[in-house]
Amino acid sequence: MPQMIIANRLRDGAIVFLAPNDGWEPAIAAGTLIETEADAARLMAVAKQHEGQCQVIDPQLIDVELKDGKPRPTAIREAIRAFGPTVRTDLTEV
Amino acid sequence: MYRYDEFDARFVNERVAQFRRQVNRRLAGELTEDQFRPLRLMNGLYLQLHAYMLRINVPYGTLASKQMRKFAYLARNYDKNFGHFTTRQNLQFNWIKLEQVPDILQHLADVEVTGIQSSGNCVRNITADQYAGRAKDELADPRVYCELLRQYSFLHPEFSYLPRKFKIAVTGSPNDRAAVAVHDIGLRMHKNEQGEIGFEVLVGGGLGRTPYIAHAIRKWLAPEDLLAYVESILRVYNMQGRRDNIHKARIKIIVNQMGIDKYRELVDKDFEFTKNGALKVPDDEVERINAYFAPPQYEKLEDQTQALAKIRSGDRAFDRWMRGNVIEHKVPGYAIVNLSLKAPGKTPGDITADKMDAVADLADRYSFGEIRVTHRQNLVLVDVKQSELYELWHKLVELGLATPNLGLLTDIICCPGLDFCALANARSIPIAQDISRAFTDLDELQKIGQFTINISGCMNACGHHHVGHIGILGVDKRGEEFFQLTLGGSSDQHASLGDRLGPGLPQAEVPAAIRKIVDTYLVVRQQQERFLDTYRRVGIEPFKAAVYGEESQAA
């Protein structure tokens, strides 16, 4: 199952995903899809480095599935983090 | 309304400046998250699922209109236009930016509000009866003692690192609206045999993973001994509390493990040293603080019973609201008005910035500028002239704050749940919304009568599910959300913990299960018996059979 790296951005707490340029993007669609264990380890090392540099807090690998070509976290909790509260879809910016 | 003294004001402003430096150091990389976390929590700043969450204290649930306007300003300018009132009578903002927190705290300090001690292992916001000082059934206004306790426990060096958090609630009325029996310390004002007002002191109550109803540790305590006695309870807890296991660290575990008699013995031993010392509350200090809670300048009015009856007979909706949401005031000609934050389909406790401003305006126009927050997540205007009730009601209807469901089935307590909270296992708000949409018939709600549904998204029980007539607990079963129902809980003066009905249900089945429980109750209740009384009379079996089918009785 593909994975992505999710974190909270330090300065505002916003949910962000590690993106292909090793930057952090608020939109899950802009995040890097991780297909192999080697990539997961390499990119988590990058994320941890960014945590040490006070860019993000608590980066974590999460499982995602592709629906209509778009990534969606498989766990409810991470889906809520990615797309916002299910009770306030009007606030979803992604 | 209590005003900060010089010391309070200076300290809170200094704390804002201190936290500003700490935030800057964190953003500059001079502090790690592990170093910074305890500092931010001391100021009420959590990191939740979507962003930082700021929890702001509303001491004993009393707010000035200018404080509510400040909340509106902050919601509009620093968050997503709304806030959430909690079961500790506090306010939470959900999308706070770390870099803006010092400015937000300064705004709050300007109107004498803080987030200090809204988190952490310290004495949290002290809660009280929302009708304190106004209720007809009240013995005395408990807020002077809440304020004394607040000042005493505010950054108390000995009690800033307790084994776990510590919650105190106070009621001045025999009809407990403050849920004192499910607090670490519950204080009930009552008279002794000599007719003197004092406190019954309860200790070791609480919800969460291991719920307990509190034990009476002292039948009657003189008000002048309040601080000394509370200090002794805290000191024994601080010494005996389980710091080795977070799940066993609350005072309720110690009290229930060692027994209330042994705990009392230890407290009394310590109290021998603390009483008659520096903690003896001087009368002039009580009077000084009490002056801040002096009732407003009421006009000499007569009750408007007949005039109101005439309006009520011609306006059924107003009559319904009067019956449900308006409470008797101790002063003739005045009334206590509850504003429901539980309109059908809405999130319990949520309120928009515009409505916060509107409530502040209504408080200024109709209720001496004061607003109360209830632990059931509603708001109250406590000093409304009866002659102005009809006019006020029209304005509340326009604002969507006049749903006549106070104390009825859709007056649901609900924690933020998995939609917001990092601790939650399941979403609680959609359940509350589903139930409120399933019971919109106001005639039916009134027919069902007094009924509480309390919902928590995890076993930490911020939604007080154990003490709802129906409690709903969200659980995670292999990645799926399920909801366990409990029946028979209550947080009033006859507090009880609910009994588990059976296996958890998926979200879609919860409203139908509530419907089956209600239908069963309506069949078996005697006359106007409340659901809780019916449950206590007939037990769980009829409800279990209704929800799970007859075969469940054999299980």
Side-chain angles (χ1 to χ4, degrees):
Chain A
M1 182 174 287
Q3 292 185 304
M4 299 183 81
I5 296 176
I6 192 172
N8 289 88
R9 193 159 56 197
L10 172 70
R11 64 182 169 80
D12 60 2
I15 293 298
V16 285
F17 298 87
L18 188 64
N21 56 1
D22 284 355
W24 294 88
E25 294 290 339
I28 185 170
T32 301
L33 267 184
I34 303 169
E35 303 281 3
T36 67
E37 278 187 29
D39 281 351
R42 181 176 59 78
L43 290 172
M44 265 311 280
V46 171
K48 284 285 177 192
Q49 193 182 6
H50 291 180
E51 185 180 29
Q53 293 164 351
C54 295
Q55 292 184 49
V56 294
I57 306 170
D58 198 20
Q60 287 176 0
L61 277 166
I62 57 167
D63 292 336
V64 297
E65 57 192 350
L66 292 176
K67 283 198 171 171
D68 301 327
K70 293 178 181 169
R72 183 180 177 82
T74 54
I76 300 168
R77 175 192 159 96
E78 301 310 327
I80 289 171
R81 291 180 83 196
F83 300 113
T86 61
V87 291
R88 291 302 304 264
T89 48
D90 57 314
L91 299 176
T92 304
E93 290 170 358
V94 179
Chain B
M1 180 74 65
Y2 185 73
R3 300 293 313 274
Y4 280 0
D5 62 15
E6 200 184 327
F7 174 80
D8 281 321
R10 194 181 69 224
F11 180 82
V12 170
N13 279 294
E14 284 174 2
R15 171 56 83 86
V16 174
Q18 181 189 55
F19 191 58
R20 189 182 296 279
R21 292 192 294 273
Q22 291 164 343
V23 168
N24 288 339
R25 289 167 64 203
R26 174 70 182 119
L27 291 170
E30 295 167 21
L31 294 174
T32 65
E33 186 60 18
D34 284 345
Q35 290 167 325
F36 182 64
R37 188 182 303 107
L39 302 175
R40 66 169 161 77
L41 288 175
M42 282 177 184
N43 292 284
L45 189 67
Y46 289 73
L47 185 62
Q48 293 284 34
L49 292 186
H50 309 292
Y52 295 94
M53 179 272 278
L54 182 64
R55 183 180 294 152
I56 300 161
N57 292 317
V58 179
Y60 29 89
T62 299
L63 270 180
S65 56
K66 70 172 181 181
Q67 294 169 327
M68 185 66 104
R69 278 195 195 88
K70 186 64 87 176
F71 293 165
Y73 174 85
L74 296 175
R76 200 172 281 128
N77 292 286
Y78 293 94
D79 206 300
K80 293 183 187 282
N81 259 316
F82 75 101
H84 174 78
F85 284 107
T86 76
T87 49
R88 284 222 73 66
Q89 299 174 311
N90 288 330
L91 182 76
Q92 292 181 178
F93 285 127
N94 296 303
W95 280 275
I96 292 300
K97 296 178 172 63
L98 177 62
E99 55 202 0
Q100 294 181 331
V101 172
D103 290 344
I104 294 170
L105 294 180
Q106 187 60 61
H107 276 296
L108 291 170
D110 291 345
V111 293
E112 305 183 347
V113 178
T114 87
I116 297 171
Q117 291 190 200
S118 66
S119 172
N121 294 336
C122 52
V123 178
R124 301 287 189 89
N125 189 41
I126 293 161
T127 51
D129 181 356
Q130 63 269 21
Y131 307 146
R134 305 297 187 270
K136 203 162 187 176
D137 60 8
E138 181 180 87
L139 219 56
D141 189 341
R143 289 175 303 163
V144 57
Y145 299 103
C146 296
E147 176 55 26
L148 268 171
L149 285 165
R150 186 196 70 81
Q151 292 187 15
Y152 159 78
S153 61
F154 192 66
L155 297 148
H156 192 301
E158 186 178 345
F159 306 125
S160 289
Y161 294 93
L162 291 166
R164 265 309 259 138
K165 57 188 169 184
F166 203 91
K167 299 178 180 177
I168 302 175
V170 192
T171 174
S173 164
N175 298 307
D176 182 1
R177 292 174 285 262
V180 302
V182 288
H183 278 74
D184 297 297
I185 292 179
L187 298 166
R188 263 186 201 145
M189 298 182 91
H190 75 125
K191 288 181 181 172
N192 63 8
E193 286 173 1
Q194 288 72 46
E196 300 159 317
I197 293 178
F199 295 96
E200 179 187 20
V201 185
L202 308 176
V203 70
L207 301 173
R209 182 182 294 256
T210 320
Y212 285 110
I213 300 297
H215 300 271
I217 189 168
R218 194 175 177 97
K219 290 269 166 57
W220 190 87
L221 177 73
E224 63 193 28
D225 290 329
L226 179 64
L227 296 187
Y229 195 74
V230 165
E231 173 158 309
S232 292
I233 293 174
L234 281 167
R235 180 166 299 122
V236 172
Y237 168 53
N238 211 11
M239 300 291 285
Q240 304 279 342
R242 291 276 302 271
R243 285 184 158 81
D244 62 317
N245 183 339
I246 191 173
H247 301 308
K248 296 188 174 180
R250 297 287 291 268
I251 190 174
K252 61 190 174 186
I253 303 295
I254 300 305
V255 167
N256 284 285
Q257 274 181 354
M258 78 168 51
I260 185 64
D261 292 335
K262 176 68 179 167
Y263 200 89
R264 184 185 297 113
E265 192 182 303
L266 294 174
V267 169
D268 285 347
K269 205 170 161 188
D270 191 80
F271 185 52
E272 283 300 310
F273 294 97
T274 54
K275 73 176 177 182
N276 300 322
L279 288 175
K280 192 119 189 152
V281 181
D283 289 345
D284 56 350
E285 181 61 6
V286 172
E287 279 171 30
R288 186 187 73 79
I289 294 177
N290 222 357
Y292 288 109
F293 297 111
Q297 294 292 312
Y298 294 116
E299 290 175 39
K300 200 167 171 51
L301 301 171
E302 289 182 2
D303 282 333
Q304 302 288 304
T305 318
Q306 283 189 337
L308 284 168
K310 199 173 163 193
I311 304 172
R312 290 171 71 165
S313 67
D315 190 329
R316 193 157 173 241
F318 176 65
D319 176 60
R320 206 193 296 274
W321 177 77
M322 282 290 297
R323 225 183 308 164
N325 293 27
V326 179
I327 308 288
E328 217 175 0
H329 199 289
K330 64 163 72 164
V331 176
Y334 286 85
I336 297 171
V337 172
N338 287 275
L339 281 50
S340 172
L341 298 183
K342 317 285 177 68
K346 299 289 184 190
T347 300
D350 274 12
I351 180 169
T352 64
D354 286 349
K355 286 186 187 178
M356 289 182 197
D357 272 336
V359 169
D361 290 347
L362 292 177
D364 283 342
R365 166 67 185 82
Y366 294 100
S367 194
F368 297 97
E370 189 172 317
I371 300 146
R372 304 287 178 85
V373 183
T374 82
H375 89 273
R376 293 201 62 85
Q377 302 175 288
N378 290 311
L379 299 176
V380 193
L381 300 179
V382 283
D383 293 304
V384 179
K385 279 184 198 168
Q386 292 175 11
S387 59
E388 295 181 333
L389 283 169
Y390 195 46
E391 185 182 310
L392 172 61
W393 172 71
H394 278 106
K395 295 184 177 177
L396 292 173
V397 169
E398 277 175 35
L399 290 167
L401 297 172
T403 309
N405 60 351
L406 188 84
L408 302 181
L409 183 142
T410 54
D411 184 8
I412 297 169
I413 287 184
C414 183
C415 74
L418 188 58
D419 275 299
F420 293 93
C421 178
L423 297 175
N425 294 321
R427 288 171 289 167
S428 47
I429 296 170
I431 298 286
Q433 293 175 328
D434 288 350
I435 294 170
S436 75
R437 288 193 196 103
F439 289 87
T440 51
D441 181 338
L442 296 169
D443 287 331
E444 184 193 33
L445 283 177
Q446 274 189 347
K447 184 178 156 201
I448 296 166
Q450 197 187 330
F451 208 115
T452 60
I453 296 181
N454 296 357
I455 309 173
S456 303
C458 76
M459 63 170 67
N460 292 302
C462 294
H464 292 193
H465 63 276
H466 302 102
V467 288
H469 295 178
I470 295 180
I472 302 176
L473 165 65
V475 295
D476 177 308
K477 281 189 189 171
R478 294 180 292 279
E480 298 288 322
E481 295 165 292
F482 280 83
F483 297 88
Q484 288 175 355
L485 272 52
T486 50
L487 300 189
S490 167
S491 63
D492 66 11
Q493 59 278 12
H494 307 294
S496 55
L497 301 172
D499 306 309
R500 192 172 155 191
L501 186 65
L505 303 167
Q507 179 188 335
E509 292 179 21
V510 173
I514 303 295
R515 172 66 68 187
K516 287 173 186 168
I517 292 166
V518 168
D519 288 347
T520 305
Y521 153 64
L522 291 176
V523 169
V524 300
R525 82 168 166 189
Q526 295 177 344
Q527 294 159 344
Q528 290 306 303
E529 196 176 44
R530 293 179 307 166
F531 170 77
L532 182 63
D533 298 319
T534 299
Y535 176 79
R536 286 172 176 168
R537 180 171 55 80
V538 305
I540 204 163
E541 290 308 329
F543 303 103
K544 195 177 270 190
V547 172
Y548 296 101
E550 294 296 333
E551 72 277 12
S552 71
Q553 297 199 39

